[in-house]
Amino acid sequence: MTLQEQARRCAEMILDSRDTAVVSGAGLSTAAGIPDFRGPQGIYRRADVEADKLFDINYFERDPSYYYRFHRECERMLARIEPTFTHKFLARLEAEGRLSGIVTQNFDGLHEAAGSKTIYQIHGTIRRAHCTTCGGYYGYDAVNTMLETADVPICHCGGVIKPDIVFFGESVKYLTECERLCSRAELLFVLGSSLNVVPAAFLPRLCRGKIVVVNRGEVSADYLPPSRITLRVDADLDAFFRAVETELKNVR
Ligand SMILES: [Zn+2]
């Protein structure tokens, strides 16, 4: 099937579905220009970063400055980055009443920035933070302002402020809501995920309807048997969804 034929099929599925949901992964963020942590240019490959320390909750409790050095880099990068066509397309689908919600493994906040409303950030978000002692809330800008003059942002109560990213050793967020969203979907998109990271990786299998997987490269069969995939697209996300948008206009 050509990309256009796949896009037409996908457009028809969108129009037929009364309940569509999305599971998005790192591939959607790399399309926006954020390096994949595990990719060749990723933070996990760098000599000065020990990946198992960076997002380890026990290590954070011992030395939060290790994480915050990465946070500063991330902040500079996120300041230059915009949601992709695909992020915005998904927000438009929701605004038209054609999308029930998004489960995302990404903590960069780009779905929110694109205008999506129902988003379950299963691995949390870098854009919000809380004090580990009193639970006080801190916004992204407030944390970044504190980091201009300190290695670690400290709450007025004296506690260390931690971003709402889910660290290793912490529970994922919204799992019940994510399971509900996927299990009742008539159409589920798996976008930019190789389905390697649990528990997000087992969510698509809960869908009893049609499943469309759009990802460049391999997708693990461990959690989603290939026989369950209705349409598999190995293409650039934005190129594919631009074609889908064109087909949606044609079909309507
Ligand atoms: Zn506090």
Side-chain angles (χ1 to χ4, degrees):
M1 253 197 286
T2 65
L3 189 75
Q4 199 195 346
E5 286 163 346
Q6 290 180 318
R8 185 171 309 147
R9 207 159 155 224
C10 181
E12 286 164 0
M13 285 191 256
I14 290 171
L15 295 175
D16 281 348
S17 168
R18 288 166 301 175
D19 196 324
T20 300
V22 169
V23 173
S24 76
L28 194 52
S29 294
T30 52
I34 296 171
D36 184 351
F37 286 166
R38 293 179 175 82
Q41 307 298 319
I43 188 116
Y44 285 177
R45 299 288 179 90
R46 274 179 18 194
D48 61 333
V49 175
E50 288 179 66
D52 53 348
K53 284 185 186 170
L54 188 55
F55 293 115
D56 181 293
I57 190 62
N58 295 314
Y59 198 82
F60 182 86
E61 283 162 5
R62 283 208 298 282
D63 178 15
S65 70
Y66 195 83
Y67 163 79
Y68 276 110
R69 281 196 293 276
F70 159 78
H71 183 103
R72 277 199 190 80
E73 277 186 49
C74 228
E75 183 213 341
R76 284 194 290 272
M77 187 176 63
L78 286 175
R80 301 191 305 263
I81 275 168
E82 298 276 324
T84 65
F85 177 87
T86 303
H87 287 101
K88 293 180 213 161
F89 174 79
L90 297 175
R92 283 198 293 278
L93 274 189
E94 186 184 18
E96 291 168 9
R98 295 201 177 278
L99 186 71
S100 308
I102 297 171
V103 177
T104 186
Q105 297 171 271
N106 305 329
F107 55 70
D108 49 43
L110 287 177
H111 284 298
E112 226 171 330
S116 287
K117 302 287 180 231
T118 306
I119 312 161
Y120 300 111
Q121 294 173 305
I122 194 165
H123 295 159
T125 175
I126 196 170
R127 309 262 181 179
R128 288 185 277 280
H130 283 88
C131 170
T132 51
T133 303
C134 74
Y137 169 81
Y138 288 87
Y140 186 61
D141 291 340
V143 168
N144 293 333
T145 302
M146 285 187 241
L147 286 173
E148 286 171 14
T149 52
D151 289 343
V152 173
I154 301 292
C155 177
H156 52 75
C157 82
V160 170
I161 296 167
K162 179 189 165 291
D164 287 0
I165 294 171
V166 174
F167 278 44
F168 295 112
E170 292 187 302
S171 305
V172 298
K173 296 175 190 274
Y174 315 113
L175 193 54
T176 309
E177 290 87 343
C178 294
E179 287 172 348
R180 195 181 306 137
L181 188 76
C182 292
S183 61
R184 67 166 197 221
E186 290 183 6
L187 174 62
L188 182 73
F189 286 104
V190 178
L191 306 180
S193 175
S194 51
L195 294 179
N196 275 312
V197 181
V198 288
F202 72 64
L203 289 171
R205 203 170 55 188
L206 300 176
C207 170
R208 284 170 295 226
K210 294 171 180 156
I211 301 178
V212 175
V213 176
V214 189
N215 189 54
R216 268 239 189 270
E218 293 275 300
V219 173
S220 167
D222 294 353
Y223 305 100
L224 184 64
S227 61
R228 280 292 287 113
I229 300 174
T230 317
L231 180 66
R232 169 75 171 96
V233 183
D234 191 335
D236 177 77
L237 282 161
D238 282 359
F240 179 65
F241 282 107
R242 278 182 210 280
V244 171
E245 189 168 74
T246 305
E247 291 301 325
L248 276 173
K249 285 178 191 144
N250 292 342
V251 180
R252 280 169 194 162

